[in-house]
Structure formats: C-alpha cells, structure tokens
Amino acid sequence: MTKINKNSIRLACIALVLIFILGLTGCQKKLTKEEATLKVAELVEASYELNEIVFGEGLEYIETEESKNTRYALVKENDKYNSIYDIEVAISKVFSVKYSTTMKNTAFEGQSGAVGGTGVPARYIENKQGFLVLKEKTVHDESIDGEKLDEGYFSIDVLKYDTSTIEIKKISRRFIEAYVTSLGGEQTILVTLILEENGWRIDSPTY
C-alpha cells in the first residue's frame, strides 16, 4: 500500500481553497452601463437622508432645559433613528467601510481643530439616560468682550442630484466611477462606488 505524503495532501488542500476563492472572485459579473447607472442612482438617492443627518440640518429635535446648557437637544422619537447604532447601520448600507468611518467619526466623535482652533464637536451623543441628542446649529452667544461662548455646529446645505445626468466614466467588476450633476446644475461631482462583501457602496462624498 502506497504511503501518502502528508505535505502533499496539505498542499493539495491549499490549492483547492485558492481555486475556490479565485473562482468566486472571478465569476463576479461586470455590470452593464445601464446596470451601473441604476446602481449609482439608487445609492446617490439613498445618501441624501444620511448626508442631511450628519452634515445638514440633522434629525428633528426637542429643546429642553438641559439643551439650553449643553447645546445638545433631545432627538425627537421617530421610526428609524433613535440611537447611534441606528445611524451607524444606515450609513453602512450606503457607504463603504472606509468612508463610513469618516462619517461616523464626524457624527459621533467630532473633529479636532488646527492648533489654537476649536474644532468641530460630535454631532450626536447619547446622554446619561441613554437618549440620542444632537448638537444644535451654530450659536452666536457672546461674552462681554465679544468672544463667542459656544461655536455650536456648522451645518451645510446638502445637495441633491439629477440622476438623469449620470454619466459613467469607468466600470470594472468591483469599481464604478460616474459623474452626476446637482439639481439646478450648479455642481457636478465624481461618484465612486466599490463592491464590498455586502454589495455596492459609495466610496466618496456626495454632499
């Protein structure tokens, strides 16, 4: 009876695993131009609400006695977003892992300013009672010497886009680049999509 070499078996198993993995990645079908256009439109439209939550007006809130002191107001109870986790999950369904991290850091941790600057505070936190609260917009309270007491939070006017203007620049099995113009035509951006484990995701700003 022929003695089986254990190293040979091990190498054969590794080879089979590699063939399987390469087969899975290789069989990913490249989208047609029409399919890519629809995917870009779907995700760009899904990004509006999240951009508004993180960079724009934010979730609807209720002013309380506490918010007058902290400038963080209680988020009004709603059907979708009542915790940081709820927002994080929604972001991860539209944006890539890498870009989601950028949005989450901005929303939940804030950004440090330059040397001597004030930076940007976290947009959302959960208070001691576990309720979601958000930083209100920029406040212009001033002290006697004219110094601002609270910089608040600078929101932006979030753009929306005319998806009929989508122009595909590049398509590969795992990557899409497309131009799309805002409603009104004042701005055209280059949107990048990448294919991740859970599907296509936006990997660039759309606000």
Side-chain angles (χ1 to χ4, degrees), residues 3 24 31 39-40 48 51 96 112 135 141 187 196:
K3 185 177 181 180
L24 287 178
L31 297 182
K39 182 55 65 177
V40 171
Y48 299 157
N51 285 335
S96 68
S112 299
K135 193 74 172 176
D141 294 340
Q187 184 173 331
E196 297 189 326

Side-chain angles (χ1 to χ4, degrees), residues 20-172:
F20 178 73
I21 293 172
L22 291 172
L24 287 178
T25 56
C27 69
Q28 175 61 46
K29 180 185 175 184
K30 180 179 176 181
L31 297 182
T32 65
K33 188 174 181 179
E34 291 73 22
E35 289 171 334
T37 299
L38 289 173
K39 182 55 65 177
V40 171
E42 174 192 337
L43 289 175
V44 165
E45 290 177 345
S47 75
Y48 299 157
E49 181 177 59
L50 298 170
N51 285 335
E52 196 67 60
I53 289 171
V54 176
F55 305 112
E57 290 295 319
L59 293 168
E60 189 175 355
Y61 62 86
I62 303 169
E63 289 188 348
T64 62
E65 285 300 316
E66 181 182 2
S67 70
K68 292 178 182 178
N69 298 321
T70 65
R71 298 299 184 192
Y72 276 95
L74 183 67
V75 171
K76 189 174 181 179
E77 188 174 354
N78 59 84
D79 294 332
K80 296 176 69 175
Y81 306 110
N82 292 294
S83 68
I84 287 175
Y85 176 77
D86 291 340
I87 301 173
E88 285 181 330
V89 169
I91 289 173
S92 67
K93 289 180 179 179
V94 176
F95 294 97
S96 68
V97 171
K98 181 179 178 180
Y99 191 72
S100 289
T101 299
T102 299
M103 292 188 72
K104 291 172 186 178
N105 287 344
T106 299
F108 312 126
E109 296 182 20
Q111 297 177 344
S112 299
V115 176
T118 57
V120 179
R123 188 73 191 274
Y124 296 90
I125 61 174
E126 290 176 359
N127 64 16
K128 294 179 180 179
Q129 293 74 40
F131 294 110
L132 186 66
V133 295
L134 85 160
K135 193 74 172 176
E136 296 181 51
K137 292 179 66 175
T138 303
V139 179
H140 296 290
D141 294 340
E142 295 183 353
S143 63
I144 295 174
D145 60 2
E147 293 292 328
K148 288 183 179 179
L149 298 178
D150 191 338
E151 291 289 346
Y153 190 94
F154 291 90
S155 64
I156 63 173
D157 293 328
V158 173
L159 290 175
K160 293 188 177 181
Y161 297 89
D162 181 356
T163 54
S164 69
T165 67
I166 292 173
E167 179 184 342
I168 300 298
K169 178 186 177 185
K170 182 179 179 181
I171 310 175
S172 71

Side-chain angles (χ1 to χ4, degrees), residues 174-187:
R174 310 187 70 84
F175 183 84
I176 301 171
E177 280 188 342
Y179 293 106
V180 60
T181 301
S182 60
L183 294 171
E186 66 273 19
Q187 184 173 331

